[in-house]
Amino acid sequence: MTEARPDARRMISDPQVMRALAHPARIAIMEYLSSRESGGTATELAEIVGLSPSATSYHLRALAKFGLVEAAPSRGDARERVWRVLTAGWMVDAGREAGPAARAAEQAVVEAHALRGMERIRDWSRRAADEPAEWYDKALFNDSLLLLTAEELAELNEAVLALLRPYHPRRRQGDPPPGARTVAVHYRTVPLA
């Protein structure tokens, strides 16, 4: 087995791998496993993705086929099969010279990921009034148009990602602060036409 590297990001450019990732359940599986050093079982993940354990196992095997997850050491119960990611994060990039099939695969992953983000925003909007004031008052929606050079954009991206890094669940899992919750942060920078 390969030792998981908690800060490593895998760049994915293979259209087959991108197509394998362009499924909402697989994105959720990768996200969950990326946030937990201890990994997860198909039964645990089934609750997260809203599928049966057998359907979740199917998706785990598909991800394993492309080297995105692997079987992890048992937690003590030899009957349970634990899965883990090989890297804590991944990015897709078909490349500037990619052909139509690679571009379509990349677009499918981007759209699936964007839909997941939008659903989280909708979910928050539906339940926000029922949240404690301390959380309601801290949630933020912000869209900003900035005037940047390519170099400034690179610097901004690096700075924002550096600010987020210490709060990654994998870094805080062993001793999270009291009252900590998982928070979705959607950060995208895309040059406009």
Side-chain angles (χ1 to χ4, degrees), residues 166-177:
Y167 303 102
H168 192 278
R170 202 174 183 120
R171 291 179 179 270
R172 302 186 105 190
Q173 188 177 13
D175 191 25

Side-chain angles (χ1 to χ4, degrees), residues 4 12 34 53 78 87 90 101 113 121 141 151 164 170-171 185 190 193:
I12 298 170
S34 293
T87 59
W90 50 275
H113 212 278
I121 292 168
F141 289 83
E151 293 76 22
L164 299 176
R170 202 174 183 120
R171 291 179 179 270
V185 176
V190 291

Side-chain angles (χ1 to χ4, degrees), residues 10 21 23 37 42 50 60 71 83 86 103 120 128 163 170 193:
R10 177 175 171 186
L21 281 169
H23 188 286
E37 202 168 315
L60 283 161
W83 296 86
L86 295 173
R103 284 271 170 241
R120 284 180 165 157
L163 283 171
R170 202 174 183 120

Side-chain angles (χ1 to χ4, degrees), residues 80-145:
E80 75 175 0
R81 185 170 187 183
V82 180
W83 296 86
R84 68 178 177 188
V85 292
L86 295 173
T87 59
W90 50 275
M91 298 184 303
V92 296
D93 185 359
R96 291 177 56 87
E97 306 301 321
R103 284 271 170 241
E106 180 184 51
Q107 189 65 31
V109 174
V110 168
E111 288 178 11
H113 212 278
L115 286 173
R116 181 170 173 75
M118 183 52 71
E119 185 51 41
R120 284 180 165 157
I121 292 168
R122 286 184 185 126
D123 178 56
W124 168 260
S125 178
R126 286 188 290 264
R127 65 182 167 74
D130 297 327
E131 285 286 334
E134 67 182 287
W135 288 99
Y136 181 89
D137 294 340
K138 304 302 184 291
L140 173 69
F141 289 83
N142 175 53
D143 280 324
S144 299
L145 295 178

Side-chain angles (χ1 to χ4, degrees), residues 15-89:
Q16 284 187 306
V17 179
M18 287 190 278
R19 280 192 297 277
L21 281 169
H23 188 286
R26 293 178 188 170
I27 290 173
I29 288 168
M30 292 294 291
E31 181 180 81
Y32 181 86
L33 292 178
S34 293
S35 69
R36 285 160 179 76
E37 202 168 315
S38 61
T41 65
T43 301
E44 293 165 358
L45 289 160
E47 291 181 35
I48 302 299
V49 300
L51 298 172
S52 69
S54 61
T56 304
S57 290
Y58 167 80
H59 288 295
L60 283 161
R61 288 190 306 275
L63 291 168
K65 176 182 170 184
F66 292 106
L68 297 167
V69 301
E70 68 179 359
S74 173
R75 296 180 193 153
D77 182 354
R79 293 174 295 155
E80 75 175 0
R81 185 170 187 183
V82 180
W83 296 86
R84 68 178 177 188
V85 292
L86 295 173
T87 59

